Amino acid sequence: MNHQTLPRHIGIIMDGNGRWAQQRGLPRTEGHKAGVEAFERICEYAADLGVPVLTFYAFSTENWVRPPQEVGAIMDLFRRQLNSTERRQAENEQKRWRIRYIGDLREDGAVPADILARLRNMETQSADKDKTVVNIAVNYGGQQEILSAAQRLARLCCEGVLVPEELTLQNIEDGLTTAGQPPPDLIIRPSGELRLSNFLLWQSAYAELWFSNILWPDFAPAHLDQALAAYARRNRRFGSSNARQATP
Ligand code: IPE
Ligand code: IPE
Ligand code: MG
């Protein structure tokens, strides 16, 4: 894959953990555990390919409606994953990933305080890393993100800093959790569902979408290769009448 056709940003909806477990007669939690392993595998592979920005959808603002036992198990997995990553300092230094968490991560929000503290710690520890930006979407919803950007602009207008009629697309982008990053060129959703489920709604305006029936815990580097090959063959036009290949 040459650099011309490598996406600058890939978004991945890590879906299908529950079905993966159910197919094996295991509790759904086992699917989430296997999902964490798939995350580590694919993140490493994509970073080594040289993809500059990766965004993984881990938990949506809507996922809280699941049974408390499942939500609790997922939160425990976050804790475990954060602990084990914190312990692997030398490995982290070598990987040079800048980890960022996106979503509603307010202190008085739904994410437990101890997890928030660990997320912040991870962000601080990796803040100077420059190889790959890894965004992890936790308590994330695209509509809520746009609402929050709009609230920020409304506040600035009320304060007289901005004028409603002069607002630009850039003003909205500046208020998103991905501000300053390129938009996703490619969004991958495994598990057979053909929808975005509130993932990067604003940012995906011109993203290429790639769907697969593979369940996330089974997602392997070869599947990412398939997605990248499909992406490299896409004609991206951005509204023009000229066919343009992949990355602008
Ligand atoms: C994705 O897998 C993980 C989360 C949404 C937290 P699911 O748990 O949605 O798995 P399926 O879709 O039920 O198979
Ligand atoms: C999307 O998967 C959210 C994550 C993968 C974190 P869901 O399983 O929640 O999506 P729906 O409910 O099938 O649309
Ligand atoms: Mg699902």
Side-chain angles (χ1 to χ4, degrees):
M1 183 93 17
N2 66 42
H3 273 280
Q4 282 258 293
T5 50
L6 196 63
R8 295 162 303 172
H9 181 171
I10 303 179
I12 303 184
I13 301 173
M14 303 190 284
D15 194 24
N17 296 349
R19 278 164 283 173
W20 182 92
Q22 272 155 3
Q23 281 176 5
R24 286 161 179 75
L26 298 168
R28 291 177 62 87
T29 321
E30 291 302 313
H32 295 311
K33 264 191 218 162
V36 173
E37 286 167 29
F39 158 74
E40 292 190 340
R41 180 163 75 232
I42 298 304
C43 192
E44 184 134 10
Y45 185 68
D48 287 346
L49 286 178
V51 179
V53 183
L54 298 162
T55 301
F56 290 89
Y57 201 7
F59 194 86
S60 75
T61 41
E62 287 73 36
N63 286 145
W64 298 105
V65 300
R66 294 187 180 203
Q69 194 219 358
E70 180 174 354
V71 171
I74 293 172
M75 294 301 136
D76 280 343
L77 272 175
F78 283 144
R79 291 186 177 94
R80 243 198 275 170
Q81 156 79 358
L82 286 158
N83 281 346
S84 85
T85 312
E86 270 171 25
R87 279 199 303 270
R88 290 178 284 170
Q89 264 308 323
E91 213 180 292
N92 298 343
E93 287 298 320
Q94 209 190 355
K95 281 180 178 160
R96 291 193 286 120
W97 299 349
R98 177 169 186 188
I99 312 277
R100 294 187 62 255
Y101 292 91
I102 63 170
D104 182 351
L105 301 170
R106 285 176 289 193
E107 299 289 321
D108 56 353
V111 178
D114 68 301
I115 295 187
L116 274 184
R118 285 173 164 117
L119 300 185
R120 295 299 176 220
N121 185 33
M122 188 64 69
E123 286 183 326
T124 312
Q125 277 186 15
S126 68
D128 61 339
K129 305 291 183 290
D130 57 3
K131 183 178 162 200
T132 311
V133 174
V134 180
N135 299 311
I136 303 176
V138 176
N139 194 21
Y140 176 87
Q143 292 180 330
Q144 291 82 347
E145 180 184 37
I146 295 167
L147 172 64
S148 151
Q151 286 170 331
R152 174 180 158 270
L153 293 178
R155 267 195 308 273
L156 291 170
C157 287
C158 287
E159 289 163 9
V161 180
L162 293 175
V163 178
E165 292 70 28
E166 291 171 10
L167 293 178
T168 62
L169 297 174
Q170 188 63 48
N171 286 139
I172 298 194
E173 291 200 7
D174 290 345
L176 300 178
T177 56
T178 52
Q181 300 179 359
D185 288 317
L186 173 65
I187 292 185
I188 294 176
R189 179 164 196 162
S191 92
E193 311 300 350
L194 307 179
R195 54 178 173 260
L196 290 175
S197 302
N198 212 3
F199 184 51
L200 299 180
L201 295 186
W202 175 281
Q203 299 89 331
S204 65
Y206 273 97
E208 296 296 324
L209 309 179
W210 190 81
F211 297 102
S212 152
N213 288 330
I214 294 287
L215 300 174
W216 175 248
D218 287 330
F219 207 91
H223 300 118
L224 187 68
D225 286 341
Q226 280 173 25
L228 290 172
Y231 170 79
R233 289 192 300 270
R234 301 273 175 98
N235 287 322
R236 304 186 77 190
R237 285 188 286 278
F238 300 95
S240 81
S241 49
N242 300 322
R244 263 209 275 165
Q245 214 73 34
T247 310

